[in-house]
Amino acid sequence: MGASDAWEPVQRLRTYEQVMSQIEERILDGRLKPGDHLPSERELAVALGVSRPSLRESLRVLEALGVVDVRRGGGADGGAVLLPTPGEGLVNLLKLQFALGHFTATDVVETRTALETWSCSEAAYRSTEADHRELAEILDRMDDPEIPTSEFNRLDAAFHQRIAESTGNALTAQVMASLRTTIHRQMIEAYARLADWKTTATTVRAEHREILAAIVARDGETAARLVRHHISSFYKNGQIGGAPTPE
């Protein structure tokens, strides 16, 4: 028998990993659904034959991943509940991996450009008048001449996020929210490098208005082209690496 044919020792899973595996299996096969309560800590520990500390460890990991909400106290509202909406797990994971340099600036810009061009294109056909009103309200708040940089940046992110939400695609909206949270510090630093951020803000406002106008006009192709140019120009002016080439 050659070295490549040798058997590898079986690795023993830690107790909390086995608990997570059983919960994950029930989620995947449909036995557990969003909004379902897990059995009480005491009942679940007995059923699984594990200690309560091991069970708590597995629940803490699932809570950090945004899968369950562990509510303190007893009664119908207490215990671990499967979240019906996405949690913060994806946001936190991306934020840390970006901070550790797992993704390059080019990776981030290309992904953002792909998401936002698709979102603007689809928003032009899927968005409602209510979406248009809310987007316009965000831009109106950005027009405040006394607005501080931090608030301007927050509203900027909210505008792009609201476009993604108006497509009706929940996964795209969640990924967009995660990405925007991940690059928040990068955007703040980019504004800080600008010689006159208010001049750039004027350009950003005008470009936002053009993007919204294309969406309202149901012109997806123009909306996608405008947002691509918008992203590219900002990254270039903010001296951030990985800026895409404007079309």
Side-chain angles (χ1 to χ4, degrees):
M1 178 183 294
S4 61
D5 297 323
W7 292 92
E8 295 290 334
V10 174
Q11 295 184 356
R12 296 185 60 184
L13 290 176
R14 287 170 285 189
T15 301
Y16 86 90
E17 291 177 323
Q18 296 181 60
V19 173
M20 286 180 58
S21 179
Q22 289 210 40
I23 295 173
E24 289 169 359
E25 182 180 344
R26 283 164 172 73
I27 293 172
L28 292 172
D29 65 19
R31 282 180 285 171
L32 285 175
K33 298 179 177 63
D36 284 353
H37 284 248
L38 294 178
S40 70
E41 185 181 287
R42 180 181 61 80
E43 293 172 333
L44 193 53
V46 170
L48 293 170
V50 300
S51 68
R52 292 173 76 165
S54 293
L55 175 61
R56 290 182 195 127
E57 188 174 4
S58 67
L59 292 177
R60 280 196 294 268
V61 173
L62 290 172
E63 189 172 34
L65 291 173
V67 176
V68 302
D69 177 22
V70 180
R71 301 170 182 173
R72 310 306 170 193
D77 295 329
V81 183
L82 296 185
L83 289 171
T85 56
E88 295 295 315
L90 182 58
V91 172
N92 294 332
L93 179 61
L94 275 178
K95 185 165 55 177
L96 288 174
Q97 292 194 338
F98 183 68
L100 289 169
H102 295 171
F103 305 116
T104 67
T106 299
D107 293 335
V108 173
V109 179
E110 288 180 347
T111 300
R112 182 185 169 192
T113 302
L115 282 172
E116 298 216 35
T117 52
W118 183 88
S119 292
C120 285
S121 176
E122 292 303 307
Y125 306 110
R126 300 184 186 184
S127 59
T128 66
E129 290 185 4
D131 294 323
H132 301 162
R133 284 195 299 272
E134 290 185 22
L135 286 164
E137 288 170 3
I138 293 171
L139 297 187
D140 289 343
R141 293 200 295 274
M142 293 180 76
D143 284 341
D144 180 356
E146 302 302 321
I147 190 170
T149 310
S150 58
E151 178 64 5
F152 186 87
N153 186 63
R154 187 190 70 78
L155 291 171
D156 186 352
F159 176 73
H160 290 273
Q161 176 64 25
R162 191 64 186 81
I163 290 174
E165 292 169 358
S166 74
T167 68
N169 187 309
L171 180 56
T172 296
Q174 178 66 15
V175 173
M176 177 72 78
S178 301
L179 186 60
R180 292 295 308 207
T181 301
T182 298
I183 64 175
H184 176 72
R185 177 176 294 180
Q186 183 189 53
M187 300 299 288
I188 292 294
E189 291 172 351
Y191 271 105
R193 283 193 294 268
L194 296 171
D196 182 359
W197 82 268
K198 289 194 173 183
T199 298
T200 299
T202 300
T203 301
V204 168
R205 289 186 183 101
E207 291 175 350
H208 281 171
R209 294 286 182 185
E210 290 176 348
I211 292 167
L212 179 55
I215 290 173
V216 172
R218 307 297 181 187
D219 187 348
E221 183 177 349
T222 297
R225 176 177 54 80
L226 288 171
V227 79
R228 181 180 179 86
H229 175 78
H230 171 69
I231 295 170
S232 175
S233 296
F234 180 81
Y235 274 75
K236 181 178 179 180
N237 293 336
Q239 301 172 34
I240 304 173
T245 303
E247 291 183 345

